[in-house]
Amino acid sequence: MSKTESNVSAPARNKELCLSMVAAWNRWELDGIIKHWADDVVHYSEDQPVDTGEMIQRMEAGLRAFPDLHLDVRSIIAEGDRVTLRITVTATNKDEFLGEPATGRRVRWFMVEELRFVDGKVVEHWDVFNYLPMLKDLGKVPADLM
């Protein structure tokens, strides 16, 4: 480890790794995200366990449905071995989503990601999505709901 690396705290390094994964999403390079996962990473989506293969399939499906997907990090907090990100996602629906044909509509949704790191690798990952704005944008729910 170089002197510069040893002067950077683990939380700061973990934040940098998270921002690197966000940058990979914004380049639509899933391998740039997956390379930061430990071999035995455990994923939870909406508090339900999801195996790594299923998580990758979900990511690929998301990029098919929204090929111009862009993540905008609104806040990032690191403490100890964990990093939490609050993200706004914008995209255009250009392929099937939720069993429906593409609408061509511009959409947005919100998400929170929490990642736990060990030795520079993600060992646990939780995500929570607020799809309500996207469902409104797609015309699936009334625009004045909530």
Side-chain angles (χ1 to χ4, degrees):
M1 183 179 300
S2 74
K3 185 173 181 163
T4 303
E5 288 174 341
S6 65
N7 290 337
V8 177
S9 70
R13 277 194 309 274
N14 294 342
K15 281 172 70 172
E16 289 174 10
L17 291 171
C18 285
L19 293 173
S20 173
M21 287 185 272
V22 167
W25 257 119
N26 287 337
R27 290 188 309 271
W28 315 299
E29 295 173 3
L30 297 185
D31 288 342
I33 299 162
I34 296 165
K35 74 178 185 181
H36 294 290
W37 296 350
D39 291 339
D40 59 350
V41 63
V42 179
H43 301 277
Y44 298 91
S45 186
E46 306 288 342
D47 275 343
Q48 298 299 312
V50 177
D51 74 38
T52 296
E54 172 69 17
M55 183 60 65
I56 292 169
Q57 287 176 352
R58 290 179 182 190
M59 293 164 59
E60 291 170 340
L63 284 177
R64 277 191 306 277
F66 303 99
D68 62 348
L69 183 139
H70 180 81
L71 280 63
D72 183 20
V73 176
R74 300 300 186 156
S75 65
I76 183 169
I77 300 168
E79 184 174 314
D81 60 356
R82 295 176 189 263
V83 178
T84 301
L85 301 100
R86 182 174 53 89
I87 298 170
T88 299
V89 182
T90 54
T92 308
N93 179 216
K94 296 199 175 195
D95 201 352
E96 179 182 316
F97 182 68
L98 299 175
E100 298 287 329
T103 64
R105 292 183 180 178
R106 195 83 179 131
V107 299
R108 66 190 165 91
W109 66 89
F110 305 98
M111 53 195 266
V112 174
E113 299 273 336
E114 182 179 334
L115 301 105
R116 187 170 74 82
F117 289 85
V118 172
D119 298 327
K121 293 286 187 178
V122 177
V123 295
E124 292 178 302
H125 161 240
W126 295 264
D127 60 37
V128 178
F129 295 90
N130 177 357
Y131 282 140
L132 186 58
M134 175 184 42
L135 295 173
K136 288 178 182 180
D137 293 340
L138 291 173
K140 299 292 181 193
V141 297
D144 60 355
L145 182 67
M146 293 169 58

